[in-house]
Amino acid sequence: MTRQRELILQILSQSDRHLTADEVFFLAKLKMPSIAMATVYNNLNAMNEAGIINRVHMDGGADCFERTTDKHDHMICDVCGKLTNVRFPELQAHLQSALGREIDSYDLTIHCVCPDCRGRR
């Protein structure tokens, strides 16, 4: 594994939130000034394809990346954009039962207003 890829993995592993490629680049640049944006993008794409990290598509915004690759869904605040992982371990089985067929996968994004934003209203 290259030094650049190790650094990107470290950044994602130590983050307490989902990061955009630009954020990963900014943090990587602090530790490795010679790193190029293309290197960050190429590594993020390659690691996502290999299942090492997870890309989260954000409607109307930049995709985010996370180190967590276990099955989970996402909840997004429609006010501040905060993205949170949520887990419903029995949901796939429930969906298969309700649909009467086996499903390969599903993507669920729950839209809400987070407690912080709700408190500011």
Side-chain angles (χ1 to χ4, degrees):
M1 184 176 295
T2 66
R3 289 184 9 238
Q4 293 89 345
R5 188 167 291 188
E6 285 178 6
L7 176 60
I8 293 166
L9 271 176
Q10 177 186 26
I11 289 167
L12 290 173
S13 296
Q14 293 175 349
S15 179
D16 61 347
R17 62 185 185 83
H18 301 74
L19 298 173
T20 65
D22 286 345
E23 291 171 322
V24 172
F25 173 67
F26 174 79
L27 294 169
K29 196 92 169 145
L30 294 175
K31 294 192 177 192
M32 189 180 288
S34 63
I35 197 166
M37 178 60 112
T39 301
V40 171
Y41 273 103
N42 290 338
N43 276 283
L44 289 170
N45 288 328
M47 288 188 289
N48 178 65
E49 288 294 318
I52 298 168
I53 64 171
N54 186 36
R55 175 192 305 265
V56 181
H57 177 72
M58 302 293 291
D59 289 337
D63 288 355
C64 293
F65 296 87
E66 61 183 339
R67 181 70 175 99
T68 306
T69 58
D70 64 322
K71 179 59 186 154
H72 64 278
D73 299 296
H74 295 97
M75 186 165 51
I76 186 167
C77 175
D78 289 330
V79 177
C80 70
K82 180 180 179 182
L83 188 63
T84 307
N85 291 344
V86 293
R87 289 175 174 76
F88 303 106
E90 303 301 322
L91 185 55
Q92 186 160 337
H94 177 74
L95 292 171
Q96 289 179 156
S97 175
L99 295 170
R101 65 183 71 162
E102 196 169 313
I103 58 174
D104 297 326
S105 67
Y106 69 91
D107 292 311
L108 174 66
T109 302
I110 300 167
H111 292 264
C112 66
V113 177
C114 74
D116 290 340
C117 291
R118 193 170 301 283
R120 285 191 285 260
R121 286 187 168 180

